[in-house]
Amino acid sequence: MSVTRPTPTQKQPAIQQRRVVIENKHGEKLVGILHDTGSKELVVLCHGIYSSKERIPMVNLAAALQREGISAFRFDFAGNGESEGSFRYGHYWREADDLRAVVQHFRVQNYVVTAVVGHSKGGNAVLLYAAKYNDVHKVVNIAGRFNLERGIEGRLGKDFLRRIKQDGFIDFKNKRGTFEYRVTEESLMERLTTDMPAACRSINQNCRVLTVHGSMDKTVPVEDAFDFNKIIPNHKVSIVEGADHEHTSHQNELASIVLDFIKEDFLQDKFIHSRF
């Protein structure tokens, strides 16, 4: 096997991937992978419901950021993937607080968290984070859900409210009939009482938000992207024609859109800093 060695004049980014464990405010250990390029500019990536840091959008976006010399961190929310805790159907604000623990951890390590990026339920988490903490000024929402009252029947079945009040829970099974997780009445009510419109209205004007959505998303309708656009003060929408919920066949296009948004901000920030 032949090996091509870089010449002394070639610049090679010092890229490392390492496992990082961070404790959230509930004492649960959150597990993630840091793609460390040597840059202290860091983007944090958040996965969707009952998912993990190993899903396609998380892995591909981290790799794309890494190629641009931008450090990235993808992690599992509590109760998902390798992280400790129990999975909950709700936990929207709690996942925003998990993200807070991650951001604070890396700030202590002298990283500058320049953007938070979330897919699906992770999109909700980054928007709620922006509304609550207002300390990361670039937010990317990929296929997040605007109205959390929608989409429940498709997952839990018809008459879900009556059944969950009667039994106290509903067990969710996948298309193969295999049990995946239990939805309690408490966690369902937590979802139904999470007011995304109110939270989005409170996002600071100085926070730039990008929503990316696939035109063929059958999990969260593309109309949700335009609903976000109506109320988030500083907001941009990018629709990926033909893409599904995970942008399965449009990963390169998704990465390009997200990178362009983040890099544009980098350039603007550097220009602003150079003036003062």
Side-chain angles (χ1 to χ4, degrees):
M1 181 176 71
S2 63
V3 178
T4 303
R5 300 187 182 278
T7 64
T9 57
Q10 286 179 304
K11 292 183 179 179
Q12 295 295 313
I15 298 171
Q16 299 179 0
Q17 289 187 32
R18 64 177 183 270
R19 191 172 183 265
V20 177
V21 179
I22 300 166
E23 190 171 292
N24 68 12
K25 71 178 186 180
H26 302 284
E28 298 161 332
K29 291 181 172 62
L30 308 176
V31 179
I33 301 296
L34 176 64
H35 298 246
D36 189 353
T37 65
S39 169
K40 289 297 186 179
E41 304 277 1
L42 179 71
V43 175
V44 180
L45 305 171
C46 303
H47 65 76
I49 190 169
Y50 199 66
S51 187
S52 81
K53 62 186 178 301
E54 304 302 334
R55 294 293 288 187
I56 291 173
M58 302 299 97
V59 174
N60 286 355
L61 285 171
L65 288 160
Q66 181 177 289
R67 286 192 294 271
E68 294 295 322
I70 303 168
S71 297
F73 183 67
R74 51 188 172 90
F75 74 101
D76 296 326
F77 285 116
N80 293 266
E82 295 183 272
S83 291
E84 293 180 348
S86 301
F87 172 80
R88 293 289 295 269
Y89 188 63
H91 272 187
Y92 284 82
W93 284 107
R94 185 157 167 164
E95 290 188 353
D97 288 339
D98 280 356
L99 177 54
R100 177 65 168 174
V102 169
V103 170
Q104 289 182 314
H105 171 87
F106 282 105
R107 284 194 175 137
V108 171
Q109 305 297 319
N110 296 317
Y111 283 87
V112 177
V113 179
T114 53
V116 290
V117 179
H119 171 252
S120 194
K121 191 184 181 190
N124 292 93
V126 297
L127 291 170
L128 293 172
Y129 182 92
K132 184 173 182 178
Y133 294 107
N134 186 34
D135 61 354
V136 175
H137 301 300
K138 308 169 190 87
V139 173
V140 181
N141 159 39
I142 304 169
R145 189 180 291 280
F146 179 78
N147 184 347
L148 295 180
E149 294 182 3
R150 295 198 296 248
I152 299 174
E153 185 175 299
R155 192 173 288 264
L156 302 185
K158 293 183 178 180
D159 206 16
F160 62 87
L161 271 177
R162 181 193 61 78
R163 290 187 291 116
I164 207 165
K165 286 186 178 297
Q166 175 181 300
D167 301 328
F169 65 88
I170 294 175
D171 286 339
F172 174 73
K173 298 179 181 180
N174 61 25
K175 293 179 180 178
R176 296 184 298 276
T178 304
F179 170 83
E180 289 199 347
Y181 56 83
R182 173 163 291 183
V183 179
T184 64
E185 182 178 1
E186 180 186 6
S187 65
L188 176 62
M189 291 304 110
E190 184 182 356
R191 169 168 170 155
L192 290 173
T193 55
T194 300
D195 192 340
M196 286 305 301
C200 289
R201 288 189 189 95
S202 71
I203 295 175
N204 193 284
Q205 173 72 31
N206 294 327
C207 179
R208 297 188 62 212
V209 180
L210 169 67
T211 291
V212 188
H213 215 110
S215 68
M216 299 300 290
D217 190 334
K218 298 190 183 306
T219 302
V220 178
V222 69
E223 289 77 18
D224 282 34
F226 298 105
D227 288 334
F228 282 121
N229 195 51
K230 292 173 185 175
I231 62 173
I232 296 177
N234 190 351
H235 188 261
K236 176 182 178 182
V237 175
S238 182
I239 304 302
V240 181
E241 292 299 326
D244 62 13
H245 187 59
E246 291 205 5
H247 292 71
T248 307
S249 301
H250 297 77
Q251 287 295 304
N252 290 340
E253 191 172 352
L254 173 63
S256 178
I257 291 167
V258 173
L259 279 170
D260 284 350
F261 179 76
I262 292 173
K263 287 165 63 180
E264 176 186 336
D265 279 0
F266 282 161
L267 292 173
Q268 286 183 359
D269 288 348
K270 288 177 181 177
F271 173 71
I272 291 169
H273 292 160
S274 70
R275 293 174 61 190
F276 295 96

